[in-house]
Amino acid sequence: DGYKVMTPTVSYPGALAYDGANMWVTNFTADTVSVLRASDGNPVMTPSVGHAPNGIAFDGINMWVVNSGSRSISVMRASDGAQVITASVGAAPHGTAFDGANMWIVNHAANNVSVLHLDPGPHMTYVMTPSVGSHPDGIAFDGANMWVTNSYSDTVSVLRASDGATLATIPVGHEPYSIAFDGANMWVTNWYDGTVSIVRAADFAVVGVVPAGIHPSGIAFDGANMWIANPDNNAVSKR
């Protein structure tokens, strides 16, 4: 019903991810991550990471925190926040997503994606660095392919997860930002247009464009509906 459950305090939050028990929130200006118990919002720990942490994703064991200001990614053990390894990526890294084996990190200023694999040791393997469109931001996995929003190209690049090959480059709205999968379609927020483009994953066809408030940014799926952040309205749209 949209009722506000609680409002835990963090520090200039940028992105968040869930590990099954706790929420991990990147604190962009503090160079830390707030780990909050999901049941009641109480702080569990606040581990330090690199400069200007933004994106974050969970691989089932570790949290991967994208440090946009230091061109790196901090891998942290979810159970206790211990730093496992820090690896370099491209310029201005932003969004990140896990394909079940490798972590994909979007490099906004490099127009490519770093694909990394964590081996025992720990040792970081650089799997590949596929190119995408201009100034990529968001990324999402459909079970076979990675979808990357290209904010300056007004397109979405579809990359085969197994080898990074480009399968399609799909025109969407102006300045696509975030992206989320509903099990059949990808939903792409078009920041400048105030819309969301709905793209069928099976054949890459654009099947709809819906209004989504002023400057839609983040988007997430709850199993039934899409929730879209509207920062200029201080609101969330539910579709």
Side-chain angles (χ1 to χ4, degrees):
D1 60 7
Y3 178 78
K4 184 167 66 177
V5 178
M6 52 188 162
T7 310
T9 300
V10 289
S11 178
Y12 204 91
L16 71 167
Y18 183 52
D19 69 6
N22 302 310
M23 279 290 180
W24 293 58
V25 184
T26 60
N27 298 314
F28 186 80
T29 58
D31 298 343
T32 61
V33 177
S34 293
V35 184
L36 309 174
R37 193 163 57 211
S39 59
D40 57 12
N42 282 340
V44 177
M45 52 187 164
T46 310
S48 296
V49 290
H51 183 48
N54 196 353
I56 186 169
F58 185 47
D59 70 4
I61 298 173
N62 304 304
M63 279 291 176
W64 296 57
V65 180
V66 177
N67 305 309
S68 59
S70 52
R71 298 188 181 189
S72 67
I73 189 159
S74 299
V75 182
M76 316 182 76
R77 195 163 54 215
S79 59
D80 59 6
Q83 186 161 296
V84 176
I85 196 170
T86 300
S88 298
V89 288
H94 193 178
T96 182
F98 187 54
D99 69 5
N102 302 312
M103 194 64 73
W104 295 58
I105 299 96
V106 173
N107 300 311
H108 179 78
N111 301 332
N112 60 28
V113 182
S114 296
V115 184
L116 308 180
H117 182 78
L118 184 60
D119 299 307
H123 174 74
M124 190 68 77
T125 298
Y126 291 80
V127 179
M128 54 187 162
T129 311
S131 297
V132 288
S134 180
H135 291 76
D137 277 310
I139 185 167
F141 185 49
D142 69 5
N145 305 311
M146 281 290 178
W147 296 58
V148 180
T149 62
N150 304 308
S151 63
Y152 283 23
S153 301
D154 298 343
T155 61
V156 174
S157 297
V158 184
L159 307 176
R160 191 163 54 212
S162 60
D163 60 6
T166 300
L167 301 180
T169 303
I170 305 163
V172 288
H174 192 22
E175 293 191 25
Y177 186 73
S178 291
I179 185 167
F181 187 48
D182 69 4
N185 305 304
M186 284 288 177
W187 294 56
V188 182
T189 62
N190 301 308
W191 187 88
Y192 191 84
D193 290 348
T195 62
V196 173
S197 297
I198 305 170
V199 185
R200 192 164 54 216
D203 60 4
F204 314 139
V206 177
V207 295
V209 179
V210 296
I214 299 173
H215 295 161
S217 57
I219 186 168
F221 185 54
D222 69 3
N225 299 296
M226 283 289 177
W227 296 66
I228 304 154
N230 302 120
D232 287 6
N233 289 348
N234 296 326
V236 176
S237 302
K238 182 180 177 182
R239 285 276 173 194

